[in-house]
Amino acid sequence: MAVLKYSRQREAIKTYLQGRMDHPTADMVYTAIREVYPNISLGTVYRNLTLLAQQGEILKISCGESSDRFDAKTTPHYHFICEECGQVEDLMDIDTNMINKLAEMNFDGEVRGHQLYFYGRCKKCKLCHAESDGTRPPEGHALRDARMGKEQNS
């Protein structure tokens, strides 16, 4: 790969991601980086995120129909995607090599890697669905905010 010319904006994007555990979207990155670089465009953020992902310096997490997320943690690990609120969480304690070995047992080629996402309900959304006992989503949770907005608009 060609050596890239240093970019303060690209470095700021990478540093921002390294300080986050919530796998932000490009829009979230853009909003944060604009505080330091007010003239940066959304297109510049997208181009730099794409370039960093292509260079292997960050991970791009495709979440189906919702916005892609980005992760500065490039060591092999899996992600859990909540189907209700869209939260993305790291799953660090799963042996990623085991799946490569299982795949090679039934394949004549050489497996060098894989992508695997787990889907379901995050802990907060799981608690939200325990409504039979009157549990409400925690304050600040996307599902509660959406429900509270509907209740207030009714």
Side-chain angles (χ1 to χ4, degrees):
M1 270 182 221
V3 177
L4 294 176
K5 182 178 148 187
Y6 177 79
S7 161
R8 289 182 313 220
Q9 293 174 338
R10 187 178 316 114
E11 196 63 30
I13 290 168
K14 188 175 168 184
T15 301
Y16 171 75
L17 288 173
Q18 289 169 338
R20 300 293 296 253
M21 299 299 288
D22 63 344
H23 308 84
T25 64
D27 287 332
M28 293 165 73
V29 174
Y30 170 67
T31 300
I33 297 301
R34 279 197 65 189
E35 292 178 16
V36 179
Y37 297 99
N39 295 327
I40 195 168
S41 70
L42 182 58
T44 297
V45 170
Y46 271 103
R47 280 189 296 280
N48 279 293
L49 287 168
T50 299
L51 187 59
L52 288 167
Q54 288 171 345
Q55 295 286 320
E57 294 187 45
I58 64 170
L59 297 176
K60 179 180 178 179
I61 304 164
S62 298
C63 299
E65 293 180 15
S66 62
S67 299
D68 291 338
R69 302 293 189 115
F70 297 91
D71 189 357
K73 197 177 299 171
T74 59
T75 55
H77 66 284
Y78 295 113
H79 293 98
F80 175 87
I81 302 169
C82 180
E83 294 174 308
E84 297 196 14
C85 70
Q87 178 177 316
V88 178
E89 296 181 31
D90 290 327
L91 299 175
M92 297 301 294
D93 296 328
I94 300 173
D95 181 7
T96 58
N97 289 321
M98 180 185 69
I99 293 182
N100 287 349
K101 290 174 187 170
L102 286 171
E104 281 187 341
M105 290 172 61
N106 297 306
F107 177 66
D108 290 334
E110 177 185 0
V111 175
R112 294 185 181 167
H114 63 275
Q115 272 190 328
L116 176 66
Y117 300 124
F118 294 89
Y119 295 91
R121 285 187 187 143
C122 68
K123 182 178 180 178
K124 289 179 182 177
C125 287
K126 182 179 172 184
L127 289 172
C128 290
H129 286 276
E131 291 183 7
S132 60
D133 63 7
T135 303
R136 293 180 69 171
E139 193 165 324
H141 186 266
L143 194 56
R144 178 179 183 191
D145 294 345
R147 287 184 184 165
M148 296 303 283
K150 286 180 185 174
E151 289 173 10
Q152 291 172 354
N153 293 335
S154 299

